[in-house]
Amino acid sequence: MGKPCYLAGDGGVLSQLADQVETVQLSMGCELLGHADALLDDHKASAGELRFLATRLSEALRDALRVAESRGGRLDATYEATAGHDGNTGEQPTEPS
């Protein structure tokens, strides 16, 4: 299992490459869902096929969670950079409606 990777900086070559890799990972996950739907609809699918599917779905979910964590970290860094060094905008928090 891979570990999260955080990039310092914004919009550089490495950030662009990370974005491209994440896009591929997420699109592969979407494609896998299509195969999963078809296999799960097939009542003749073997235990081995279903186990293989579960393994691939687990990998895709792990990738998606890694992408979400990485992009969330980048969003936090962008927010802190635009709000000020400590992330404080001076605005009071509002209650959700």
Side-chain angles (χ1 to χ4, degrees):
M1 177 168 107
K3 295 182 181 180
C5 178
Y6 302 99
L7 297 174
D10 52 3
V13 175
L14 288 178
S15 292
Q16 292 172 4
L17 180 60
D19 288 342
Q20 291 171 354
V21 169
E22 291 171 352
T23 299
V24 168
Q25 288 174 319
L26 294 175
S27 67
M28 289 173 61
C30 287
E31 187 176 329
L32 179 59
L33 281 176
H35 293 297
D37 289 338
L39 186 60
L40 292 172
D41 284 341
D42 181 2
H43 297 290
K44 295 180 183 179
S46 71
E49 290 171 314
L50 294 172
R51 190 170 14 279
F52 181 81
L53 172 63
T55 302
R56 301 292 80 80
L57 287 171
S58 177
E59 292 169 353
L61 178 57
R62 191 174 296 113
D63 287 344
L65 292 172
R66 190 178 309 119
V67 167
E69 183 179 348
S70 173
R71 288 185 179 182
R74 281 184 266 165
L75 290 175
D76 289 344
T78 300
Y79 173 77
E80 288 177 10
T82 59
H85 184 68
D86 62 357
N88 187 357
T89 63
E91 298 176 11
Q92 297 297 319
T94 58
E95 293 292 321
S97 5

